[in-house]
Every structure is written in C-alpha cells, then in structure tokens.
Amino acid sequence: MHLAQSISPLEVVLTLLYLAAVAFLGWLGYQRTKTTADYLVAGRKVHPFIMSMSYGATFISTSAIVGFGGVAALFGMSLLWLTFLNIFVGIFIAFVVLGGRTRRMGHRLDAHTFAELLGRRFDSRFIQAMAGLIIFLFMPLYAAAVLMGGTEFLATAFSMPYVVALLVFGIITAIYVFFGGLKGVLYTDALQGTIMVVGMLFLLIWAYVSVGGVAEGHKELASMSDQVGAMKAIGHRGYTATPTFGWGRPADLKPGMPSPYDMWWIVFTTIVLGVGIGVLAQPQLVLRFLTVKSGRELNRALAIGGPFILLMTGVAFTVGALSNAYFFKHEVVRGQLVSEMPADVIIKKVPGKANQTAQYTLMHIDTDSPPDGKADVDLIRPADPADVRVLDDGRVEVRSRASSIRRAVVFDQVEGAWMLNADSIIPTFVTSAMPRWFKIIFLLTLLSAAMSTMSSQYHTLGSAIGRDVIEPIMGSPPPGSNRTIYTVRVGIIIGLIMATLIGYYGRGEYIIPRATAIFFGLCASTFLPTFVGGLFFRRITRPAAITSMLVGFIVTALWLVFVKDAEAGSIGLVRWFTGGANSILAGYDNWPVLDPLLIALPLSTLTVIVVSIFTRAPDPLHLEKCFAASAPGQSAGAATSVH
Amino acid sequence: MFGIEDTYVSLAYLLCILSALLCVIYGAINWNRGDEPVDSADVRWATRQQQETTEEL
C-alpha cells in the first residue's frame, strides 16, 4: 500500500485547513494580545468556556483517548473508576479545593512555574531546582505517551509505517510548540477543546449504534467473558466485570501460575489511583490555576469542565471496552485478499528473554478498492472457516470474530515482527467501525488533544531546566542576556528528542498508559504532600518539604527499578544480578504488580508530617508573605470589561 | 443498571455521570460567587508572565 493511496486529497486539505486555522488564531491572539496574562494585566475575565476548555484540553491528551481507551478494551469497563476520579478529583477537588489557594499563593509569591511555586513557598532554591530536575527528566515519558497516541492513529488509519507517522505527528506538534503553543493563546485552546468535544460525542453515539444500543451493547460485552484469553489467569472476569479481588495466592493454585488477583492490583493501583490522584500534582495543570482572575471563574469553568472530562475519558473508556463487542460480533471486512501468511505474532514482550509469541495466519486485505473505500486491514484469520467467504467478484468477506486485542495486530519495525498492541485498538476501531469521513475528524480531535497538551508539557519541561534548575544554580542572568531563553529552548529540544526516541523504541503492549501512569504516580508521590501541605498548613517546614520530596522520589524510583515487574524488567538491573527474575519480590504474589504510589505516597505524606513536628516552625514573616492578602491594586478593569 | 450486571462497574458508570452533574450544579449555584478584585500581586504576576512569554517567543 502506497502512502498516496491511503490519504485522500480532501483529507490533506482538511488537515492543512485546520493547521491554518490554528496558526491564524494564534496570530490573531498575538496581535490582539489575548493571552491569559494579558487578560489579567487588563484586569479582565477569561470567559469560563475558554478557561475550562483550556484546562480540559491540557488535561486530556491522545494518551487518555488512544492509550487509556486501548487499555479499557483490554481490561474492560472497570476503568470507568478512573473517569470518576478524573472528574471528581481532577476537576471538582482540583477546582474547588486547590484552584483558588494555588492562584492566590502563586500570585503573592510571583511564581511562574510549579517548581518555583514550591521553592518560594518553602523559601528554598534547592526545592525549586530538585523539582525542576525531576520534571525535566521524567516529563518526556508523558510527552512520549502523547506523541505515540497520535502516531498510532496516523499509522493505523492512514496505513503509514509507524516511524513515518511518528515523524509526521512529531514535526507538526513540534512546529506548533515552537511557533505559538508557548503563548497559550486562548482562542486556539477553545478551538481545540471544541473539536475534541464534537469528535468524542460522535464517537460515543456511533459506537453505541454500531453495537445495538446502550444496554444491548453492554449485554453483548458481558456475554464475551470467555474471550479474555490468557488474562483470565490474572483475574479478568469479563469486559463488564470487576477483576477478581484478593491478595496473595489461593492454596489450590498450581506452581508457576500467576496470581488470580494481579489484574485487580494493576487496574486499581497503577491505572485508576496512579493517574486519578496524580493529576492533582501535575505541573502543567497547576499552572493553569495561576492564569485565572478569581474564584468565580473557577466556579464557572467547573460547570463546563466536568461534562468535558466525561465526554473525553468516559467516552474513550466506554468505546474502548465496547470495541470488543464490535470486533467480535459486528465487524465485517470486505476487500481484495492481498496475502495470507503464517506469522509468529508477539503477544507479550518479555524483557531480556525471547518474546512470548503465538502462531497465527495473517490476512492482509486491501479494502481501498471500491466500493467501501476504507484503508488496508491486517487481521488474524478467524478460527471458524465459515467466517471467511469468497464473494462473486473475487473479493473476500471476513467476519473477524476477535476480541479487540487480537484484532489490533501491527508490524513492529524495531522487533521486525508482528505484534498485538493495545495502543492500536482505538485507531483500529475508528478505522473499521466509523465512516471514512470521521477518520479526518478524529485525526483533528487527536491533533487538538496532542497539541494542547504537548505545548504545555514542553513549556513546563523547558522552563523546568531553564528557569528552575539553571537559574538557581548559576544565578539570574545579567540584564539583556538571552541565557535563560536559550536554556529553555535547548530543554524543549532535548525533551522532543527524548520523547521521539521513547516513542520509537518503547512501542508495544500498552506502553502509552504505562508511561503516563509512571509520570503521574511519580508526581503524586514526590510533590503532592508538599504541594497540598504547603497550600493549607503554615506549620509545614522546609526540611519536611525536602525530605518528603526525596522520600517520594527515591521510593518510587527504587520500586520501579527493583520491584515493579514491568518497569524493572525493562530496566533489567535485577535480572542482571539474579540472572532470571525481573523483580526482587518475584516470588511474592501481587507485590511485583503493585504501583509504587501505594507505598511512596503514604511514606512521603508521613514524612512531611513527622519532620514538620520535629523541626523549627517557619519564619512568621515568610508565612505572612505566603498566606496574607496583598495590597489592593489595579481593579477597575475587572468590573467593566467582559470578554 | 445500564445492562451491566456487575455492581461496582455499574456504580462507576453512574458515578461518572453524577460527578459531572455535581460539577454542573456546583458551578451553576456558585456562578456569580467568588469574584475578587485584581490586586497588586496579580498585576505583578501577570506582567512578569507577559514578559517571559514575549521573551520566549
């Protein structure tokens, strides 16, 4: 399949029109100085729709839609607990409890990065530099997840080689980040948020229609509990059921079998809690609170933000799970059979050992030829011969009869082999189930989701190294010096390269949600007790903040390197020492799948409390600066001008 | 509920909708509350933010 065949001229034109619209709105915003800061300087209100779209579009990325949608297809609808936390914790608690205090303290301390906020709250350059360094080193993981989410869709929907899609998506977003994304122009955020709403709403309606309705679709899913395959051994009870809960190993379990409780701990500790709580300490989201004028804007934005997130992750997770019913019971692929070949398909990548493979017959079907006009399809031949039929015109008609993960088979260029890839499920579903014209709408949805998040990520990452690490260490640059600007830009370029490399080498299984969860969990364990404690409690001391952050970071890092099976396996240190096992707790059931958040966050919270008790109370003058109201100033514009 | 037999999954489905409704209701009730005048700290913050953004562009 040639690239030119897979993308129609109309699709290219629409994408270019969208990019032109984003560029135009960016330019318009620049000309009319409609950034959040400009509004504040003028004392004017940002429209609540724009504020919530801006926050929501930064919060929700291709990682949430493609990556977590795919993991919902794998693990089922119990992932909706994460949507609940996304809305209740990520929006309600964040806006109502943290938003106003963050804004007031940030302005009083003149903090412009998350690390600077922490550093100034505790009057410590060390805290600022440490937080900046952690953000700079680990944000690329999350940036890679966002990049890969868009890439997977581009590769699947437009039959592009993955590496080409990675470069195309990376270059488009990089250009945006460098020429306009940094400015946080409000119009572009609003446009991108609106496109995301339209795209996800249509996806939800079409998905339910394609499986026969809401209750019917759920019932069809429930009837597929025997399709979960090998995941039954780790506690998968079906796509509409909660995984088996328990701890350890039942007495009657054969040696060598995995614990039937592993999946519960993966879903609820890594996916649901890690991301659900971690959102509160996301540097790029905390910064958004600094850009609003008052608590009233937060209240108003809340009314729009809640339903926005429901439409994003709620839809992605529901559609992800429903895709199983679609592929298994409804999908019919018609086209020219190009090839049919036996292939060893990687079903699980095993670090340091031979990958776990299964032999399937792969059918490559060209569906681009008239009349249905869809892209190429690679699928595993169904077990039942009756599901493959030769039509009168020589084409074939295949009922795929596969669960989503067996349907998402892709060629991995790094391994040089075919593999099952959960991150490809949502793109495969959109390509197969939705009308062709929706592909371009969904591409624009994902471009919007990626651009809005990535511009914040890279801005945060660049500022982290340029302003939070270099400046405190080397001192402020002399007036007229461009040193900080250069270090910020170099930081962004390093971040882009790191994200692209992770995107190239890390592909497979469900790396997108895993990478996201690592970053979110790390932020929660390292920053959350210090950040929330610093906002609410005057008694939290500088030594307590430093030790809490160190404990949160070190425990998380040690757990990922030595205990958590998937990550420790990728790093390979334990295997290098032991010659076999990936985790030092390999023989102890459930421990190797437990997320570090469950250990590190309670420890860092306990640390901040205990050390505060035993160290000298902070200087009252400094506390006054952090907590007391500042002098009234320019306020005339606030009452008169409404955007 | 919603054709989902598992209590916890249907509860999650319901809570997603209810929590979004909570945001709407809370936002609507407090639509006109919480306004604060712009003070000197706000203006200082916004001015520096403008400078940094312009520099980076």
Coordinates of all heavy atoms in Angstrom, one line a residue, chain A residues 49 52-54 56-57 60 65 189-205 304-313 315-316 438 441-442 444-446 448-449 452:
Chain A
F49 N -16.0 29.4 29.5 CA -16.0 28.3 28.5 C -14.5 28.2 28.0 O -14.0 27.0 27.9 CB -16.8 28.7 27.3 CG -16.7 27.8 26.1 CD1 -17.3 26.5 26.1 CD2 -15.9 28.1 25.0 CE1 -17.2 25.7 25.0 CE2 -15.8 27.3 23.9 CZ -16.4 26.0 23.9
S52 N -12.3 26.6 30.9 CA -12.5 25.2 31.1 C -12.0 24.4 29.9 O -11.4 23.3 30.0 CB -13.9 24.8 31.4 OG -14.7 25.4 30.4
M53 N -12.1 24.9 28.7 CA -11.6 24.3 27.5 C -10.1 24.2 27.6 O -9.5 23.2 27.2 CB -12.0 25.0 26.2 CG -13.5 24.8 25.8 SD -13.8 23.1 25.3 CE -15.4 22.9 26.1
S54 N -9.5 25.3 28.0 CA -8.1 25.4 28.1 C -7.5 24.4 29.1 O -6.6 23.6 28.8 CB -7.7 26.8 28.5 OG -6.3 26.9 28.7
G56 N -9.2 21.7 30.3 CA -9.6 20.4 29.8 C -8.7 19.9 28.7 O -8.3 18.7 28.6
A57 N -8.4 20.8 27.7 CA -7.6 20.4 26.5 C -6.2 20.1 27.0 O -5.5 19.2 26.4 CB -7.6 21.4 25.5
I60 N -6.5 16.5 29.0 CA -6.8 15.4 28.2 C -6.0 15.4 26.9 O -6.0 16.3 26.2 CB -8.3 15.3 27.8 CG1 -9.2 15.3 29.0 CG2 -8.6 14.2 26.9 CD1 -9.0 14.1 30.0
I65 N -7.1 9.3 25.3 CA -8.1 8.8 24.4 C -7.6 7.5 23.7 O -8.4 6.5 23.7 CB -8.4 9.9 23.3 CG1 -8.9 11.2 23.9 CG2 -9.3 9.4 22.2 CD1 -9.0 12.4 23.0
D189 N -6.9 27.2 22.2 CA -7.3 26.3 23.2 C -8.8 26.0 23.0 O -9.3 24.9 23.1 CB -7.1 26.8 24.6 CG -5.6 26.6 25.0 OD1 -4.9 25.8 24.4 OD2 -5.2 27.3 26.0
A190 N -9.6 27.1 22.8 CA -11.0 26.9 22.7 C -11.4 26.2 21.5 O -12.2 25.3 21.5 CB -11.7 28.3 22.7
L191 N -10.7 26.5 20.4 CA -11.0 25.7 19.1 C -10.6 24.2 19.3 O -11.4 23.4 18.9 CB -10.1 26.3 18.0 CG -10.1 25.5 16.7 CD1 -11.4 25.7 15.9 CD2 -9.0 25.8 15.8
Q192 N -9.5 24.0 19.9 CA -9.1 22.6 20.1 C -10.0 21.8 21.0 O -10.4 20.7 20.8 CB -7.6 22.5 20.6 CG -6.7 22.9 19.5 CD -5.3 23.2 19.9 OE1 -5.0 23.5 21.1 NE2 -4.3 23.1 19.0
G193 N -10.4 22.5 22.1 CA -11.4 21.8 23.0 C -12.7 21.6 22.4 O -13.3 20.5 22.5
T194 N -13.2 22.5 21.5 CA -14.4 22.3 20.9 C -14.4 21.1 19.9 O -15.3 20.3 19.8 CB -14.8 23.6 20.1 OG1 -14.7 24.7 21.1 CG2 -16.2 23.5 19.6
I195 N -13.3 21.1 19.1 CA -13.1 20.0 18.2 C -13.1 18.6 18.9 O -13.7 17.6 18.5 CB -11.8 20.1 17.3 CG1 -12.0 21.3 16.4 CG2 -11.5 18.9 16.6 CD1 -10.7 21.6 15.6
M196 N -12.5 18.6 20.1 CA -12.4 17.4 20.9 C -13.8 17.0 21.3 O -14.2 15.8 21.3 CB -11.5 17.6 22.1 CG -10.0 17.6 21.7 SD -9.0 18.3 23.0 CE -9.0 17.1 24.2
V197 N -14.6 17.9 21.7 CA -16.0 17.6 22.2 C -16.8 17.0 21.0 O -17.4 16.0 21.2 CB -16.7 18.9 22.7 CG1 -18.2 18.7 22.8 CG2 -16.1 19.3 24.0
V198 N -16.7 17.7 19.8 CA -17.5 17.2 18.7 C -17.1 15.8 18.3 O -17.9 14.9 18.1 CB -17.3 18.2 17.5 CG1 -17.9 17.6 16.2 CG2 -17.9 19.5 17.8
G199 N -15.7 15.6 18.2 CA -15.2 14.3 17.8 C -15.6 13.2 18.8 O -16.1 12.1 18.4
M200 N -15.5 13.4 20.1 CA -15.8 12.3 21.1 C -17.3 12.1 21.2 O -17.7 10.9 21.4 CB -15.2 12.7 22.4 CG -13.7 12.8 22.5 SD -12.8 11.3 21.8 CE -12.9 10.2 23.2
L201 N -18.1 13.1 21.1 CA -19.5 12.9 21.1 C -20.0 12.0 20.0 O -20.7 11.1 20.2 CB -20.2 14.3 21.0 CG -21.7 14.3 21.4 CD1 -21.9 13.9 22.9 CD2 -22.2 15.8 21.3
F202 N -19.5 12.3 18.8 CA -19.8 11.5 17.6 C -19.4 10.1 17.8 O -20.1 9.1 17.5 CB -19.3 12.1 16.4 CG -19.8 11.5 15.1 CD1 -21.0 11.8 14.6 CD2 -19.1 10.4 14.5 CE1 -21.5 11.2 13.4 CE2 -19.6 9.8 13.4 CZ -20.8 10.2 12.8
L203 N -18.1 9.9 18.3 CA -17.6 8.6 18.5 C -18.5 7.8 19.5 O -18.7 6.6 19.2 CB -16.2 8.7 19.1 CG -15.4 7.4 19.4 CD1 -15.1 6.7 18.1 CD2 -14.1 7.7 20.2
L204 N -18.9 8.4 20.5 CA -19.8 7.7 21.5 C -21.1 7.2 20.9 O -21.5 6.0 21.0 CB -20.1 8.6 22.7 CG -21.0 8.0 23.7 CD1 -20.3 6.9 24.6 CD2 -21.6 9.1 24.7
I205 N -21.7 8.1 20.2 CA -23.0 7.8 19.6 C -22.9 6.7 18.6 O -23.6 5.7 18.6 CB -23.7 9.1 19.0 CG1 -24.0 10.1 20.1 CG2 -24.9 8.7 18.2 CD1 -24.3 11.5 19.6
I304 N -18.5 23.5 33.1 CA -18.2 23.1 31.8 C -17.1 21.9 31.8 O -17.2 21.0 31.1 CB -17.7 24.2 30.9 CG1 -18.8 25.3 30.9 CG2 -17.4 23.8 29.5 CD1 -18.3 26.7 30.5
G305 N -16.2 22.1 32.7 CA -15.1 21.1 32.8 C -15.5 19.7 33.2 O -15.0 18.7 32.6
G306 N -16.5 19.6 34.1 CA -17.0 18.2 34.5 C -17.5 17.4 33.3 O -17.0 16.3 33.0
P307 N -18.5 18.0 32.6 CA -19.0 17.3 31.4 C -18.0 17.1 30.3 O -18.0 16.1 29.6 CB -20.2 18.2 30.9 CG -20.6 19.0 32.1 CD -19.4 19.2 32.9
F308 N -17.0 18.0 30.2 CA -16.0 17.9 29.2 C -15.2 16.6 29.5 O -14.9 15.8 28.5 CB -15.1 19.1 29.2 CG -13.9 19.1 28.2 CD1 -14.1 19.5 26.9 CD2 -12.7 18.6 28.6 CE1 -13.1 19.4 26.0 CE2 -11.6 18.6 27.7 CZ -11.8 19.0 26.4
I309 N -14.8 16.4 30.7 CA -14.0 15.2 31.0 C -14.8 14.0 30.8 O -14.3 12.9 30.3 CB -13.4 15.3 32.4 CG1 -12.5 16.6 32.6 CG2 -12.5 14.1 32.8 CD1 -11.3 16.7 31.7
L310 N -16.1 14.0 31.2 CA -16.9 12.9 31.0 C -16.9 12.5 29.5 O -16.9 11.3 29.1 CB -18.4 13.2 31.5 CG -19.4 12.1 31.3 CD1 -19.1 10.9 32.2 CD2 -20.8 12.5 31.6
L311 N -17.0 13.5 28.7 CA -17.0 13.3 27.2 C -15.7 12.8 26.7 O -15.6 12.2 25.6 CB -17.4 14.6 26.5 CG -18.9 14.8 26.2 CD1 -19.1 16.1 25.5 CD2 -19.4 13.7 25.3
M312 N -14.6 13.0 27.4 CA -13.3 12.6 26.9 C -13.0 11.2 27.4 O -13.1 10.3 26.7 CB -12.2 13.6 27.4 CG -12.4 15.0 26.8 SD -12.2 15.0 25.0 CE -13.7 15.9 24.6
T313 N -12.6 11.1 28.7 CA -12.2 9.8 29.2 C -13.4 8.8 29.3 O -13.2 7.6 29.0 CB -11.4 9.9 30.5 OG1 -12.3 10.2 31.6 CG2 -10.3 10.8 30.5
V315 N -16.0 8.6 27.4 CA -16.3 8.1 26.1 C -15.1 7.2 25.7 O -15.4 6.1 25.2 CB -16.4 9.3 25.1 CG1 -16.5 8.7 23.7 CG2 -17.7 10.0 25.4
A316 N -13.9 7.6 25.9 CA -12.8 6.8 25.4 C -12.8 5.4 26.1 O -12.6 4.4 25.4 CB -11.4 7.5 25.7
F438 N -15.1 10.3 9.1 CA -14.9 10.5 10.5 C -13.4 10.4 10.9 O -12.9 11.0 11.8 CB -15.7 9.6 11.4 CG -15.5 9.9 12.9 CD1 -16.1 11.0 13.5 CD2 -14.7 9.0 13.7 CE1 -15.9 11.2 14.8 CE2 -14.5 9.3 15.0 CZ -15.2 10.4 15.6
I441 N -12.0 13.7 11.1 CA -12.5 14.5 12.2 C -11.7 14.0 13.5 O -11.3 14.7 14.3 CB -14.0 14.2 12.5 CG1 -14.8 14.6 11.2 CG2 -14.5 14.9 13.7 CD1 -15.0 16.1 11.1
F442 N -11.6 12.6 13.5 CA -10.9 12.1 14.7 C -9.4 12.4 14.7 O -8.8 12.7 15.7 CB -11.0 10.5 14.7 CG -10.8 9.9 16.0 CD1 -11.6 10.2 17.1 CD2 -9.7 9.1 16.3 CE1 -11.4 9.6 18.4 CE2 -9.4 8.6 17.5 CZ -10.3 8.8 18.6
L444 N -8.2 15.2 13.6 CA -8.2 16.6 14.1 C -8.4 16.6 15.6 O -7.8 17.4 16.3 CB -9.2 17.5 13.4 CG -9.0 17.6 11.8 CD1 -10.0 18.6 11.3 CD2 -7.6 18.0 11.5
T445 N -9.3 15.7 16.1 CA -9.5 15.6 17.5 C -8.2 15.3 18.2 O -7.9 15.9 19.2 CB -10.6 14.5 17.8 OG1 -11.8 14.8 17.1 CG2 -10.9 14.4 19.3
L446 N -7.5 14.3 17.7 CA -6.3 13.8 18.3 C -5.2 14.9 18.1 O -4.4 15.1 19.1 CB -5.8 12.5 17.7 CG -6.7 11.3 18.0 CD1 -6.1 10.0 17.5 CD2 -7.0 11.2 19.5
S448 N -5.7 18.0 18.1 CA -6.0 19.1 19.1 C -5.6 18.6 20.4 O -5.0 19.4 21.2 CB -7.6 19.3 19.0 OG -8.0 19.7 17.8
A449 N -6.0 17.4 20.8 CA -5.7 16.8 22.1 C -4.2 16.8 22.3 O -3.7 17.2 23.4 CB -6.3 15.4 22.2
S452 N -2.5 20.7 22.4 CA -2.8 21.5 23.6 C -2.1 20.9 24.8 O -1.6 21.7 25.6 CB -4.3 21.5 23.8 OG -4.9 20.2 23.8

